[in-house]
Amino acid sequence: MSEKVSIGILAVQGAFAEHRAMLDGLGADTFLIRQKKDLEESVQNGGLQGIVLPGGESTVQGKLLRELDLFDGIKSRIEDGMPVYGTCAGLILLAKSISNDSAQHLQTMSIVANRNAYGRQLGSFHTEAQFEGIGEIPMTFIRAPYIDKAYDDVQVLSEVDGKIVAARQKNQLVTAFHPELDGDTRVHEYFLNM
Ligand code: GLN
């Protein structure tokens, strides 16, 4: 990369620090979005080329997005084509609907998410699987969702045991697993190339 890509990482709750460390390591210019002014200042400085929605608790994150008045600003930028990468809870925030929860959040991506899809107790595991365009990568799942249904122009990027765990729709990338925890930078590189 000749010029640094500027990436905002939503930091109201969850695993934002790990994403930041990984993206910094790849030479991106990262900053944390904790409140509305972080988003506005970054846009004014011309410095927002992508956004990361980290793992954590989607219900809490969705509530904070609204309370902190970040919801509309983030949603409209995604709709305007800004690249976004949602992991785990971030996937749930982007989903058009959630099959086992009446909550609805940003709803920008044509996927139906299944929350805590692997069960609450035994829901954390590690595996390796193929990721379209990258190859075999390590995958850590923590009380993860999977994608029940992908429609419109959503491209499925990875499946584990017949369940969709990574997908892309134009400027939107989601993974049900946590590449930021595995020391393998290839999914983050894929995102930076978007
Ligand atoms: N189970 C969480 C939720 O529903 C997601 C878990 C995660 O992000 N690691 O929001």
Side-chain angles (χ1 to χ4, degrees):
M1 263 171 283
S2 48
E3 225 173 281
K4 282 198 162 194
V5 181
S6 183
I7 307 288
I9 302 168
L10 182 68
V12 296
Q13 191 267 340
F16 50 85
E18 292 83 353
H19 278 289
R20 183 174 211 187
M22 190 159 265
L23 290 165
D24 283 346
L26 290 171
D29 190 10
T30 59
F31 62 94
L32 300 179
I33 301 174
R34 294 184 187 279
Q35 47 186 320
K36 196 175 184 183
K37 108 174 154 25
D38 300 329
L39 189 61
E40 288 172 349
E41 284 173 5
S42 69
V43 173
Q44 276 157 21
N45 301 335
L48 184 63
Q49 289 162 295
I51 189 164
V52 171
L53 306 178
E57 228 293 324
S58 57
T59 310
V60 175
Q61 293 181 357
K63 185 165 175 273
L64 288 170
L65 280 183
R66 290 171 176 97
E67 282 176 11
L68 297 167
D69 201 12
L70 284 166
F71 191 96
D72 292 339
I74 290 177
K75 183 175 163 85
S76 63
R77 286 187 177 86
I78 295 169
E79 285 169 344
D80 288 346
M82 189 184 64
V84 61
Y85 173 27
T87 47
C88 205
L91 176 157
I92 297 169
L93 291 184
L94 293 171
K96 195 77 79 183
S97 65
I98 305 168
S99 56
N100 53 350
D101 193 325
S102 57
Q104 292 175 325
H105 303 290
L106 296 166
Q107 296 185 281
T108 49
M109 188 163 177
S110 302
I111 55 172
V112 180
N114 190 322
R115 275 191 80 192
N116 298 310
Y118 297 95
R120 277 178 185 274
Q121 299 306 323
L122 299 170
S124 302
F125 61 98
H126 185 84
T127 189
E128 293 199 351
Q130 286 292 326
F131 191 105
E132 184 74 35
I134 296 182
E136 183 145 312
I137 58 164
M139 299 181 178
T140 296
F141 292 82
I142 304 170
R143 296 185 312 283
Y146 55 62
I147 297 172
D148 269 339
K149 199 174 146 208
Y151 52 102
D152 295 338
D153 52 352
V154 174
Q155 180 192 5
V156 173
L157 297 175
S158 184
E159 290 185 37
V160 170
D161 296 331
K163 307 295 185 192
I164 304 169
V165 296
R168 175 175 179 178
Q169 185 176 28
K170 296 191 187 85
N171 57 316
Q172 304 184 74
L173 173 69
V174 292
T175 63
F177 55 91
H178 291 267
E180 77 281 9
L181 301 181
D182 276 318
D184 186 313
T185 57
R186 288 176 291 171
V187 175
H188 286 77
E189 285 171 48
Y190 180 102
F191 173 58
L192 290 179
N193 284 325
M194 287 166 57

